[in-house]
Amino acid sequence: MNDIAHNLAQVREKISAAATRCGRASEDVSLLAVSKTKPASAIAEAIAAGQREFGENYVQEGVDKIRHFQETGMMGLQWHFIGPLQSNKSRLVAEHFDWCHTVDRLRIATRLNEQRPADKAPLNVLIQINISDENSKSGIALAELDALAAQVAELPGLRLRGLMAIPAPKTEYERQFAVAQQMAVAFEALKARYVTVDTLSLGMSDDMEAAIAAGSTMVRIGTAIFGARDYTQ
Ligand SMILES: *Cc1c(COP(=O)(O)O)cnc(C)c1O
């Protein structure tokens, strides 16, 4: 087994153990492989090991990879945009990605809706919540969720699938769990109101167990699969 296949197997094992510990089925938690800054060859190794869902943070880099795998005839991949989205880049996300995790204002939602090609399925969107990081400019407060969700749900080019958050890093499990649980409560309330809602994108390498215990349905893991990122180039 190559490193990436080996790493993927370990991460899947960790997810499944965390799910089992809290009485959940491991199929209820999907793994988003975060491939930002990594070359197509690394993604190809992950595909060979059975991975199909990939997360990218930078629009142009993601689009280049999506095109690459389309040209090689690879079907069935799901591409998730998980980075901060500026209005002037929304068209590329709407035209190429399957998911956007970082919708946090009506203006972006409206643009994605208008720019989604008519021959594609609606873009799956998650509303990003700023759950604990006062310094982050991304995401809305929970108090603003109902209003934005109602507006997003009206847009035919988008499908409201749920919520995403990037909690401020904390080392203690109890604190990670408390924050994750706030997200889970908001997610359950949203799910009760919209039949399309089924996804809580929450949990990274260091807080995955707490996120899964609280009810996350999708964890986003990069380094543990692909190794450390090199930002010097
Ligand atoms: C980079 C990133 C990840 C993955 O982080 P790792 O530490 O490499 O596992 C997850 N979610 C988001 C939003 C990211 O930007």
Side-chain angles (χ1 to χ4, degrees):
M1 240 195 282
N2 61 38
D3 281 353
I4 289 173
H6 175 80
N7 293 345
L8 262 172
Q10 274 193 332
V11 169
R12 288 192 191 116
E13 183 51 44
K14 242 177 107 177
I15 292 171
S16 142
T20 305
R21 262 200 303 281
C22 57
R24 299 183 63 198
S26 50
E27 309 86 70
D28 292 350
V29 185
S30 63
L31 168 60
L32 184 64
V34 177
S35 45
K36 62 187 178 205
T37 80
K38 297 296 175 180
S41 57
I43 296 173
E45 286 183 36
I47 294 169
Q51 182 65 31
R52 293 292 178 269
E53 306 209 55
F54 295 93
E56 291 283 338
N57 290 57
Y58 310 103
V59 177
Q60 191 57 55
E61 179 190 331
V63 169
D64 289 346
K65 291 174 187 171
I66 293 168
R67 287 205 174 109
H68 169 84
F69 286 101
Q70 268 163 0
E71 282 158 16
T72 61
M74 175 58 69
M75 310 286 283
L77 302 182
Q78 290 278 302
W79 293 94
H80 296 238
F81 184 74
I82 62 171
L85 182 52
Q86 295 158 349
S87 294
N88 62 355
K89 299 274 178 65
S90 64
R91 178 174 296 281
L92 283 170
V93 172
E95 289 181 349
H96 296 279
F97 281 84
D98 303 292
W99 288 70
C100 179
H101 289 218
T102 50
V103 170
D104 63 358
R105 52 199 188 277
L106 182 60
R107 178 174 156 73
I108 280 285
T110 306
R111 287 178 68 96
L112 290 170
N113 174 62
E114 283 163 3
Q115 294 163 343
R116 184 67 171 173
D119 63 346
K120 289 203 166 197
L123 180 69
N124 298 298
V125 300
L126 302 179
I127 293 177
Q128 184 177 356
I129 304 295
N130 186 349
I131 195 67
S132 61
D133 190 351
E134 294 83 27
N135 297 322
S136 166
K137 290 183 191 67
S138 300
I140 58 167
L142 278 178
E144 300 168 68
L145 173 58
D146 286 354
L148 184 58
Q151 289 167 318
V152 170
E154 291 294 311
L155 301 172
L158 307 183
R159 183 175 287 139
L160 178 62
R161 297 293 296 268
L163 302 178
M164 178 268 209
I166 310 173
K170 293 190 177 65
T171 46
E172 306 85 3
Y173 178 91
E174 299 305 327
R175 295 178 67 197
Q176 294 175 346
F177 182 76
V179 172
Q181 211 168 25
Q182 280 183 278
M183 283 298 300
V185 168
F187 170 63
E188 288 301 331
L190 198 68
K191 201 167 140 185
R193 232 170 311 142
Y194 301 96
V195 290
T196 54
V197 168
D198 58 4
T199 303
L200 176 57
S201 165
L202 185 69
M204 299 168 49
S205 303
D206 295 332
D207 64 350
M208 189 172 92
E209 275 87 1
I212 290 173
S216 167
T217 71
M218 184 181 286
V219 294
R220 309 178 306 262
I221 309 288
T223 309
I225 298 170
F226 296 109
R229 287 179 290 273
D230 179 1
Y231 285 108
T232 60
Q233 288 149 14

